[in-house]
Amino acid sequence: MAGKKTPNPEHVTVDDEFWSPRVRRTDTATVDTVYRQLVESGRLENLRRAAKGISGDEQVALENRMYRDESDVYKWLEAASYALSRRSDPDLESRVNYVISLLEGAQRDDGYLNSYFSLHAPEDRWTRLTYMHELYSAGHLFEAAVAHHEATGESRLLDVATEFADHVVDIFAEGGGAPGHQEVELALVRLYRCTGQQRYLDLARTFLDERGREDSRFAREMVNPDARLCTDEIYEEYRDLLFDEDGTYDGKYIQDHLPVREQSTAVGHAVRATYMYAAMADVATETGDDDLAATVERIWSNTVRRRMYVTGGLGSSHENEGFTSDYDLPNDTAYAETCAAVGSVMWNHRMLQLTGEGKYGDLMERTLYNALLAGISLDGTRFFYANPLESDGEKHPLEHVSKVRFPLQRGEWYDTPCCPPNVARLLASLGEYLYLVDGDELSVELYAGSSVRTTVAGSTVTVEQTTDYPWDRTVEISVHTDTPVEMTLRPRIPAWCSDPTIAVEGETVTPDVERGHVELRRTWRDGDKLTLDLPMPVRQVEAHPEMTAAAGRVVLQRGPVVYCLEGVDNDHSLENVCLRADARFSTEYNPDLLGGTVVVRGEATLTATADDESLYRSRTSPANETVTVTAVPYYAWANRDETEMRVWMRACDCTH
Amino acid sequence: MAGKKTPNPEHVTVDDEFWSPRVRRTDTATVDTVYRQLVESGRLENLRRAAKGISGDEQVALENRMYRDESDVYKWLEAASYALSRRSDPDLESRVNYVISLLEGAQRDDGYLNSYFSLHAPEDRWTRLTYMHELYSAGHLFEAAVAHHEATGESRLLDVATEFADHVVDIFAEGGGAPGHQEVELALVRLYRCTGQQRYLDLARTFLDERGREDSRFAREMVNPDARLCTDEIYEEYRDLLFDEDGTYDGKYIQDHLPVREQSTAVGHAVRATYMYAAMADVATETGDDDLAATVERIWSNTVRRRMYVTGGLGSSHENEGFTSDYDLPNDTAYAETCAAVGSVMWNHRMLQLTGEGKYGDLMERTLYNALLAGISLDGTRFFYANPLESDGEKHPLEHVSKVRFPLQRGEWYDTPCCPPNVARLLASLGEYLYLVDGDELSVELYAGSSVRTTVAGSTVTVEQTTDYPWDRTVEISVHTDTPVEMTLRPRIPAWCSDPTIAVEGETVTPDVERGHVELRRTWRDGDKLTLDLPMPVRQVEAHPEMTAAAGRVVLQRGPVVYCLEGVDNDHSLENVCLRADARFSTEYNPDLLGGTVVVRGEATLTATADDESLYRSRTSPANETVTVTAVPYYAWANRDETEMRVWMRACDCTH
């Protein structure tokens, strides 16, 4: 590949107190939970029947949504493959092989693979790209296949994928269509990188450039409902999402409102958007397409300046599961879908590959520790679909829309269960996000106890990190090499850190921060050590004044971790305390709380007390009693009781 | 009647700058608008067909909701009757008589009157009290009939009503059922007061005591859907509202969870609740039922201490259109249905009749000037169904539930158009709420330029008020009588007024405030004057700390009027300003703004400024720039542009 390269993931080992237990739980509990749900929901049974050629009518009914069910199977296969790359597990291996055999059986002779279409509506293949998710599912197959091949060295699943991919190339290489839900674009680039087949990269680019045409194929497809393919309800949902009230095609929901190269703001469905932006970065990296690179950088700037939660979460509204308008970032109804956090991590990783700019690593880090981790319970078996930044502990404000979709605590499965296997595959592949190599440069993008063996400046080098990040400020990076290597070590300096100290072999050095990194070029010898000290005081963070949901409020952040208040740790209503600008904080690592965490305690002012029963009264002097508030990482919320929660706390507004 | 008596409304004349134009617009524009909608919606045409005996299938379809459509017709008749009591209007009179003739035609020989049942399902009468609204509609007929009789002296409509009422007595006098939507109870008391027929009062009491039985008839009725009577959708809606998730009957939605005498909190659908509480007060007044009186006082205390918006609005949630839990009073999603404000004014008026306590007059006043008036546009032709206390000016947060039900500006009509004719009949009968008479006492409950001629202590007395209330603090009350009368004048001293001054014939007197009133007993001679001075500085009002939606916030209130900020009057985001405790306010009457209003201007602190484009940054020192904010009465909001609005403003929380 071009750009900054990700070291072969099998040569990255994560071994620390923070991520390792999470990766381990993903490999076991999460992969197991998702598999059980694939069985219980009938997904595997349907694939089995498809493999046997049993007719569509005898499929296990899944509320008419079978057409995209295979994507969940593929994401599980991808996660399971990463797990197998780390540890031998005959049970898991046989499950993986069983599923692969079902896919082999269900694949048609021409390479086509989608059991729903093959059995229910074979003549309708590729007719409703807008919402039937054939290409989306294909993309997840391609990703799973690459992961399986890299993890096991086997080609069974890769063969299924390339046969299908070649069929897709046959159909779409000359244009005429694009996926209604992006994903296959980035998957094709991945398949290209794995196989070296230029046609996959070309098709990814074609799919990108097929969007936003004046005579939109998506708009044309939406002329009539198609009873054979989906319910009226689903069709109507898409009509509402894609057309204005006056019936004019809008297309923003699927980023089809403008040619991608003319887009400049993050709009529409957030998962579709992030997958597409990731693919734009990929194609720009591989083809040197500066226009595409400039476009995706522009969209990124819009996103982070106007349309992103402090957790890195993306998408304000449940209605389009996506972006709304600038600074519209409500807390209690925040959608911030877990899958959009997955997409954002993937997007930012690719922006790093494209540019090497630390700001993308910053956002990858912000999203991982906050928006993404909040999506999964500490035990790895329950998941949030939406991630609100505020809860009253009694009732989700969107409960009337769907009690299942908007619970107060994480659920094991969802009507559309995209998030559980998605967060699984991301966590299971965490090692890929830590390091990047480019010629004689090795960039360290995430801090975690780990080691990487890779080739830098033509030599095989092992780099080891030792750290208790994100709880501790010190990161030690040591180089192991048979022969001295002249190379540049590029540790990222997080934007949240205002006064880092860097020492090489115990000697403080003061290099400039360039593009978010310090660039330490020297001849590195075996055993050389680089020490980073990244002071992480508890910071009060405020938002741009246009963001009304945060007006008069602050967030507590320590290092990359955004904190929240939970009712279970605090005696007072969380709205009745506010933080002074000069509040003092103490931090303490508690190994027994929430899987081990630094707890933040701080002084706050209690602004209201009840003197009597009256509901309304003339304004009284504030009590100004100082109380202690206890904050825990946002990602860990709702792992105990159903409880009140706030990310944005009230800020006392006077200086005094 | 027993208790404090309302003077004959035809002997009360309202003549002031505030209410008179509103009553006038109600009599003309509102009554006209509602009539046009009755025609356009097919309601009158359906009645016409019913009168002709045309079969049900040929009725004008009204989304299967015809079974309660007549209630809108009745409420219009009631409002139109009040209008006719004030002014001759041959057009309106002929419309009224035309509608009455339709009702005469549609009434069955046995007195039964409900065109929906008569034509669609005659054999199903009285089988589905839970949701088919026969008794609810009957109640509105009875109220309209009394109003028409009192306004015109004619008996045509009253005859229709008493025939129907007698039929209802035949069916229900021995128990066995109660209305699924309360209303008929208070209407029966009204019919009793008009006709003197004890059986109507008895039935009202029976209906009250039929609720909350262990073997609830409502629960039994809900066993099966009844396709002939309503759609599955309506049936399912009621099932969800009346039963717990585990299928257990709950009944709170229709206040059937406990016998009324065992109830102590305001629960369920707010309109049903207020109508029922009003009837409880009525029956207690007429029968001396102390148990019922104590019960309704207990529920009232719970309501005003835990479950009432600062505007007097009732009902926090759109899901049950009603009460939720203590202190749960969200601003942006507030339901606070206009009809519930109507019901609350009626309830509090009846509590005054029962007890003479000024606190009920206080709440009647609060509700009238705020929750109720907000429901109608300044020109009298558009209406809010729900009355949020906060808007971002771009999108109602419940828009995804119903764009029609939750607009940003008032609409002319609604899917269920209960509110427009309800606010019309309330405003058209405003005169009834001003004065109460009890033997030798005359209480003044609302301040408005007006006069009343009534009998006090056996003499005919005319009492006149002259005031520019609510804009001005001075109220002059003069007595006109042929012979001196020893009587007690009881002007209410509003709880918001901490330092009233009272002068009789120019001499300051200092009577105690007893039960919310000053009681001025003396021999009043013709021309004697009582002057009230009720200072109305702009007050900052705060809420009980448990009410999280108001934590760290205050409301501006002047006299009885709750103010709000609207974006159209203020340059800054309404969330970025906050009020210091020592803020100074100026007031100015602007005759050209919003129909003539006192505008409040005050100092506020601008707490945030944008230095750069970053969405999140370390907390900066607050700007502490002082800006002027402009507040207008809440009731007048959304009469100009679609604009941001806040009732609860941020409060600076330090003392200095």
Side-chain angles (χ1 to χ4, degrees):
Chain A
M1 67 173 276
K4 315 272 177 195
K5 290 173 188 60
T6 299
N8 192 326
E10 71 191 85
H11 297 141
V12 180
T13 310
V14 178
D15 183 12
D16 75 347
E17 294 290 321
F18 189 85
W19 288 111
S20 292
R22 289 179 160 79
V23 173
R24 201 155 45 237
R25 278 192 297 272
T26 304
D27 288 351
T28 53
T30 312
V31 164
D32 195 61
T33 295
V34 173
Y35 187 80
R36 189 163 40 76
Q37 292 287 356
L38 294 179
V39 173
E40 286 180 12
S41 67
R43 278 169 173 73
L44 293 190
E45 175 61 16
N46 277 343
L47 259 182
R48 192 187 68 81
R49 295 185 190 185
K52 299 270 181 209
I54 293 170
S55 93
D57 298 342
E58 292 170 43
Q59 295 264 304
V60 180
L62 300 177
E63 297 179 11
N64 204 41
R65 300 208 152 180
M66 281 179 283
Y67 58 83
R68 64 177 170 204
D69 287 342
E70 271 147 37
S71 66
D72 305 315
V73 176
Y74 297 140
K75 280 189 278 189
W76 175 82
L77 270 179
E78 187 183 341
S81 298
Y82 299 131
L84 290 178
S85 75
R86 263 183 293 279
R87 50 190 266 284
S88 162
D89 180 339
D91 263 6
L92 182 58
E93 204 176 322
S94 76
R95 285 174 171 180
V96 165
N97 285 326
Y98 170 66
V99 175
I100 293 174
S101 69
L102 297 181
L103 295 169
E104 287 168 340
Q107 188 164 36
R108 304 289 94 174
D109 290 344
D110 61 358
Y112 183 85
L113 176 50
N114 184 303
S115 62
Y116 183 77
F117 274 89
S118 291
L119 293 168
H120 286 267
E123 70 278 25
D124 292 327
R125 283 181 185 184
W126 309 124
T127 59
R128 300 286 174 160
L129 302 184
T130 317
Y131 48 90
M132 291 303 288
H133 288 49
E134 284 161 292
L135 288 168
Y136 167 80
S137 293
H140 280 302
L141 167 63
F142 303 164
E143 289 209 82
V146 172
H148 184 256
H149 176 69
E150 288 176 352
T152 64
E154 292 173 23
S155 292
R156 277 179 76 191
L157 190 59
L158 189 63
D159 290 345
V160 173
T162 52
E163 273 182 52
F164 192 13
D166 290 339
H167 172 79
V168 174
V169 168
D170 286 346
I171 304 283
F172 292 105
E174 301 304 314
H181 191 314
Q182 300 91 321
E183 150 63 24
V184 72
E185 301 90 333
L186 72 87
L188 282 164
V189 177
R190 209 168 158 187
L191 200 59
Y192 155 72
R193 286 175 182 157
C194 176
T195 64
Q197 299 300 319
Q198 179 73 24
R199 61 185 178 277
Y200 301 148
L201 177 62
D202 292 344
L203 182 58
R205 186 174 186 166
T206 300
F207 276 150
L208 289 174
D209 285 325
E210 279 289 314
R211 301 193 95 76
R213 291 179 176 277
E214 274 207 27
D215 179 28
S216 165
R217 168 170 173 165
F218 299 121
R220 280 181 279 124
E221 281 184 0
M222 290 297 293
V223 173
N224 296 309
D226 39 8
R228 270 180 320 199
L229 293 181
C230 75
T231 59
D232 284 357
E233 200 183 332
I234 294 175
Y235 174 81
E236 287 302 334
E237 204 180 302
Y238 274 86
R239 261 212 79 88
D240 289 351
L241 286 163
L242 290 170
F243 291 79
D244 282 346
E245 279 175 41
D246 61 4
T248 309
Y249 180 73
D250 165 279
K252 281 202 187 76
Y253 175 66
I254 53 174
Q255 295 82 34
D256 186 47
H257 56 302
L258 282 174
V260 292
R261 291 160 194 280
E262 292 172 27
Q263 298 189 18
S264 52
T265 53
V267 301
H269 188 263
V271 181
R272 285 172 165 85
T274 52
Y275 286 0
M276 182 175 90
Y277 306 150
M280 289 164 72
D282 272 343
V283 171
T285 299
E286 295 299 343
T287 65
D289 187 331
D290 291 341
D291 182 41
L292 208 51
T295 301
V296 71
E297 284 176 22
R298 190 167 67 228
I299 295 172
W300 188 91
S301 292
N302 168 259
T303 309
V304 301
R305 288 182 184 163
R306 308 283 174 92
R307 298 177 175 216
M308 177 187 79
Y309 284 99
V310 69
T311 57
L314 300 180
S316 306
S317 171
H318 73 282
E319 289 174 67
N320 65 349
E321 304 190 303
F323 299 100
T324 55
S325 53
D326 286 348
Y327 304 111
D328 176 38
L329 295 155
N331 292 310
D332 59 347
T333 58
Y335 203 69
E337 185 181 336
T338 302
C339 282
V342 172
S344 180
V345 170
M346 292 166 69
W347 176 24
N348 281 286
H349 185 229
R350 283 157 173 83
M351 295 303 288
L352 273 174
Q353 293 175 328
L354 175 64
T355 70
E357 295 268 5
K359 62 186 180 183
Y360 303 115
D362 286 348
L363 182 48
M364 189 168 76
E365 180 181 85
R366 182 195 288 270
T367 307
L368 270 173
Y369 282 104
N370 304 293
L372 183 122
L373 271 192
I376 184 166
S377 65
L378 293 175
D379 69 1
T381 64
R382 288 168 299 118
F383 311 90
F384 270 134
Y385 201 121
N387 292 282
L389 277 71
E390 175 181 322
S391 171
D392 70 3
E394 292 180 4
K395 198 175 156 174
H396 193 293
L398 297 172
E399 184 186 295
H400 59 279
V401 175
S402 163
K403 283 203 184 186
V404 174
R405 183 67 69 90
F406 300 108
L408 292 177
Q409 294 196 310
R410 295 168 186 83
E412 203 175 72
W413 202 240
Y414 287 89
D415 47 349
T416 300
C418 49
C419 300
N422 217 1
V423 67
R425 72 181 182 127
L426 194 287
L427 289 177
S429 60
L430 184 82
E432 296 189 24
Y433 297 89
L434 273 57
Y435 301 98
L436 286 173
V437 180
D438 187 8
D440 58 359
E441 286 181 4
L442 189 143
S443 303
V444 184
E445 298 299 349
L446 294 176
Y447 297 114
S450 60
S451 70
V452 57
R453 187 161 59 82
T454 187
T455 303
V456 189
S459 302
T460 298
V461 174
T462 297
V463 171
E464 258 187 36
Q465 277 190 66
T466 312
T467 180
D468 282 322
Y469 203 87
W471 308 132
D472 189 69
R473 60 200 264 177
T474 308
V475 180
E476 217 170 73
I477 298 172
S478 57
V479 175
H480 303 279
T481 175
D482 291 341
T483 52
V485 183
E486 191 178 342
M487 65 174 189
T488 304
L489 262 183
R490 289 180 80 239
R492 180 177 56 87
I493 303 301
W496 55 257
C497 184
S498 55
D499 49 355
T501 310
I502 297 110
V504 177
E505 285 294 284
E507 300 247 338
T508 300
V509 293
T510 54
D512 290 341
V513 177
E514 297 281 348
R515 298 187 304 149
H517 297 74
V518 285
E519 308 199 331
L520 299 159
R521 181 165 193 85
R522 68 196 291 267
T523 300
W524 293 87
R525 290 162 208 282
D526 187 50
D528 278 0
K529 272 199 177 61
L530 164 66
T531 309
L532 287 176
D533 181 60
L534 303 170
M536 34 177 79
V538 176
R539 293 164 60 224
Q540 296 190 39
V541 172
E542 66 181 15
H544 192 280
E546 293 281 323
M547 181 176 155
T548 52
R553 292 177 184 266
V554 289
V555 161
L556 296 183
Q557 190 178 333
R558 178 174 179 274
V561 179
V562 169
Y563 277 72
C564 73
L565 302 182
E566 279 199 286
V568 68
D569 300 313
N570 294 279
D571 287 340
H572 307 287
S573 145
L574 303 183
E575 278 294 304
N576 285 333
V577 290
C578 73
L579 275 191
R580 291 190 298 273
D582 61 356
R584 293 170 187 216
F585 299 95
S586 66
T587 56
E588 185 188 10
Y589 182 75
N590 182 339
D592 301 319
L593 185 69
L594 298 166
T597 185
V598 166
V599 175
V600 170
R601 290 194 179 78
E603 294 170 354
T605 300
L606 184 64
T607 58
T609 45
D611 294 330
D612 56 34
E613 287 229 65
S614 59
L615 186 51
Y616 303 108
R617 61 182 176 191
S618 287
R619 179 173 179 172
T620 56
S621 288
N624 277 353
E625 184 190 334
T626 296
V627 293
T628 299
V629 290
T630 301
V632 296
Y634 166 71
Y635 70 73
W637 88 280
N639 273 284
R640 291 171 291 177
D641 294 333
E642 290 183 5
T643 181
E644 206 186 350
M645 185 275 286
R646 292 285 183 284
V647 170
W648 288 101
M649 307 175 55
R650 284 175 48 214
C652 293
D653 35 48
C654 50
T655 33
H656 70 127
Chain B
M1 65 173 276
K4 315 274 175 194
K5 290 175 188 59
T6 299
N8 191 326
E10 70 190 84
H11 296 141
V12 181
T13 311
V14 178
D15 183 12
D16 75 345
E17 295 290 320
F18 189 86
W19 289 110
S20 293
R22 288 180 161 77
V23 174
R24 200 154 48 237
R25 277 192 297 270
T26 303
D27 288 352
T28 52
T30 312
V31 165
D32 196 60
T33 296
V34 173
Y35 188 79
R36 189 161 42 73
Q37 292 287 356
L38 294 179
V39 173
E40 286 181 13
S41 66
R43 278 168 173 74
L44 293 190
E45 174 61 16
N46 278 342
L47 259 183
R48 192 186 68 79
R49 295 185 190 185
K52 300 270 180 210
I54 293 172
S55 93
D57 298 341
E58 292 169 43
Q59 297 264 304
V60 180
L62 299 177
E63 297 181 11
N64 204 42
R65 300 209 153 181
M66 284 180 280
Y67 58 84
R68 66 179 169 204
D69 287 342
E70 271 147 40
S71 65
D72 305 316
V73 176
Y74 297 140
K75 280 188 280 188
W76 175 81
L77 271 178
E78 186 182 342
S81 299
Y82 299 131
L84 290 178
S85 76
R86 265 183 292 278
R87 51 191 267 282
S88 161
D89 180 338
D91 261 6
L92 182 59
E93 205 176 322
S94 76
R95 284 175 172 180
V96 165
N97 286 325
Y98 169 66
V99 174
I100 293 173
S101 69
L102 297 182
L103 294 169
E104 287 168 339
Q107 189 165 37
R108 304 290 93 174
D109 290 343
D110 60 359
Y112 184 84
L113 176 49
N114 183 303
S115 62
Y116 183 77
F117 273 88
S118 292
L119 293 169
H120 284 267
E123 69 280 24
D124 292 327
R125 285 182 185 183
W126 312 123
T127 59
R128 300 286 174 157
L129 302 183
T130 317
Y131 48 90
M132 290 304 288
H133 288 50
E134 284 162 291
L135 288 168
Y136 168 80
S137 293
H140 279 302
L141 166 63
F142 304 163
E143 289 210 80
V146 172
H148 184 256
H149 176 69
E150 287 177 354
T152 64
E154 292 173 23
S155 292
R156 277 180 75 192
L157 190 58
L158 190 62
D159 290 343
V160 173
T162 52
E163 273 182 52
F164 191 15
D166 291 339
H167 172 79
V168 174
V169 168
D170 287 346
I171 304 281
F172 292 104
E174 301 304 315
H181 192 312
Q182 299 92 321
E183 149 66 22
V184 74
E185 300 90 333
L186 72 89
L188 282 164
V189 177
R190 210 169 157 186
L191 199 59
Y192 155 73
R193 286 174 182 157
C194 177
T195 63
Q197 300 300 320
Q198 179 72 27
R199 60 182 178 280
Y200 301 148
L201 176 61
D202 292 344
L203 182 58
R205 187 174 186 166
T206 300
F207 276 151
L208 289 174
D209 284 324
E210 280 288 316
R211 302 193 94 74
R213 291 179 176 275
E214 274 207 26
D215 178 29
S216 166
R217 169 170 171 164
F218 299 121
R220 279 181 279 124
E221 283 184 0
M222 289 299 291
V223 173
N224 296 310
D226 40 8
R228 271 179 319 200
L229 293 181
C230 75
T231 59
D232 284 355
E233 200 183 332
I234 294 175
Y235 173 82
E236 289 300 334
E237 204 179 302
Y238 274 87
R239 261 213 79 89
D240 288 350
L241 286 164
L242 290 169
F243 292 79
D244 283 345
E245 278 175 43
D246 61 3
T248 308
Y249 179 72
D250 166 278
K252 282 203 186 77
Y253 175 66
I254 55 175
Q255 294 80 35
D256 186 45
H257 56 301
L258 282 174
V260 291
R261 290 160 195 279
E262 294 172 26
Q263 297 189 18
S264 53
T265 52
V267 301
H269 187 263
V271 181
R272 285 172 166 85
T274 52
Y275 286 1
M276 181 174 91
Y277 306 150
M280 288 164 72
D282 272 343
V283 171
T285 297
E286 295 299 344
T287 65
D289 187 331
D290 290 341
D291 181 42
L292 209 50
T295 301
V296 71
E297 286 176 22
R298 190 168 65 229
I299 296 172
W300 188 90
S301 292
N302 168 259
T303 309
V304 301
R305 288 182 184 164
R306 307 283 175 91
R307 297 176 176 217
M308 178 188 78
Y309 283 99
V310 69
T311 57
L314 299 181
S316 307
S317 172
H318 74 281
E319 288 173 70
N320 65 347
E321 304 190 303
F323 299 101
T324 54
S325 52
D326 286 349
Y327 304 112
D328 175 37
L329 294 155
N331 292 308
D332 59 347
T333 59
Y335 203 69
E337 185 181 335
T338 302
C339 282
V342 171
S344 181
V345 170
M346 294 167 69
W347 175 24
N348 281 286
H349 185 229
R350 283 157 173 85
M351 295 304 288
L352 274 173
Q353 293 175 328
L354 175 65
T355 68
E357 295 268 5
K359 63 185 178 185
Y360 303 115
D362 287 347
L363 182 48
M364 190 167 76
E365 179 180 87
R366 184 196 288 271
T367 307
L368 271 172
Y369 282 105
N370 303 294
L372 184 121
L373 271 191
I376 184 166
S377 65
L378 293 174
D379 69 1
T381 64
R382 287 167 299 120
F383 310 90
F384 270 134
Y385 202 123
N387 292 282
L389 276 73
E390 174 181 324
S391 171
D392 70 2
E394 291 180 5
K395 198 177 156 171
H396 193 293
L398 296 172
E399 184 186 295
H400 60 278
V401 174
S402 162
K403 283 203 185 188
V404 174
R405 182 67 70 89
F406 302 106
L408 293 178
Q409 293 196 311
R410 294 169 186 80
E412 202 175 73
W413 202 239
Y414 286 90
D415 47 350
T416 299
C418 49
C419 300
N422 216 1
V423 67
R425 71 181 183 127
L426 194 288
L427 288 178
S429 60
L430 185 79
E432 297 190 23
Y433 297 89
L434 273 57
Y435 302 98
L436 286 172
V437 180
D438 187 7
D440 59 359
E441 287 181 2
L442 189 143
S443 303
V444 184
E445 299 299 350
L446 293 178
Y447 297 114
S450 59
S451 70
V452 59
R453 186 161 60 82
T454 187
T455 303
V456 189
S459 302
T460 298
V461 175
T462 296
V463 171
E464 259 186 37
Q465 277 190 66
T466 312
T467 181
D468 282 323
Y469 202 87
W471 308 132
D472 189 68
R473 59 199 264 175
T474 307
V475 180
E476 217 171 74
I477 298 172
S478 57
V479 176
H480 304 279
T481 174
D482 291 341
T483 54
V485 183
E486 191 179 344
M487 64 174 189
T488 304
L489 262 183
R490 289 179 82 240
R492 180 177 57 86
I493 303 301
W496 55 257
C497 184
S498 54
D499 49 355
T501 311
I502 298 110
V504 177
E505 286 293 284
E507 298 246 339
T508 299
V509 294
T510 54
D512 290 340
V513 176
E514 296 279 349
R515 297 186 305 147
H517 297 74
V518 285
E519 308 200 329
L520 300 159
R521 181 163 193 87
R522 68 195 292 266
T523 300
W524 293 88
R525 292 164 205 283
D526 188 49
D528 278 1
K529 273 201 176 61
L530 165 65
T531 309
L532 288 177
D533 180 59
L534 304 170
M536 36 177 80
V538 176
R539 293 164 60 225
Q540 296 189 40
V541 172
E542 66 181 15
H544 192 281
E546 292 280 323
M547 181 177 155
T548 51
R553 292 176 184 269
V554 289
V555 161
L556 296 183
Q557 189 177 333
R558 179 175 178 272
V561 179
V562 169
Y563 277 72
C564 72
L565 302 183
E566 277 199 288
V568 67
D569 300 313
N570 294 279
D571 287 340
H572 306 287
S573 147
L574 303 183
E575 278 293 303
N576 284 333
V577 290
C578 73
L579 275 190
R580 290 189 299 272
D582 61 356
R584 292 168 187 216
F585 299 95
S586 66
T587 58
E588 186 189 10
Y589 182 75
N590 183 340
D592 301 319
L593 185 68
L594 298 166
T597 185
V598 165
V599 175
V600 170
R601 289 193 180 79
E603 295 168 354
T605 300
L606 184 65
T607 58
T609 45
D611 294 329
D612 55 36
E613 288 228 66
S614 59
L615 186 51
Y616 304 109
R617 61 184 176 191
S618 286
R619 181 172 180 173
T620 56
S621 288
N624 277 351
E625 184 190 335
T626 296
V627 294
T628 299
V629 290
T630 300
V632 297
Y634 168 69
Y635 70 72
W637 88 279
N639 273 283
R640 291 171 291 177
D641 293 332
E642 292 182 4
T643 180
E644 206 186 352
M645 184 274 286
R646 291 285 183 286
V647 171
W648 288 100
M649 307 174 54
R650 283 175 48 211
C652 293
D653 35 48
C654 47
T655 32
H656 70 126

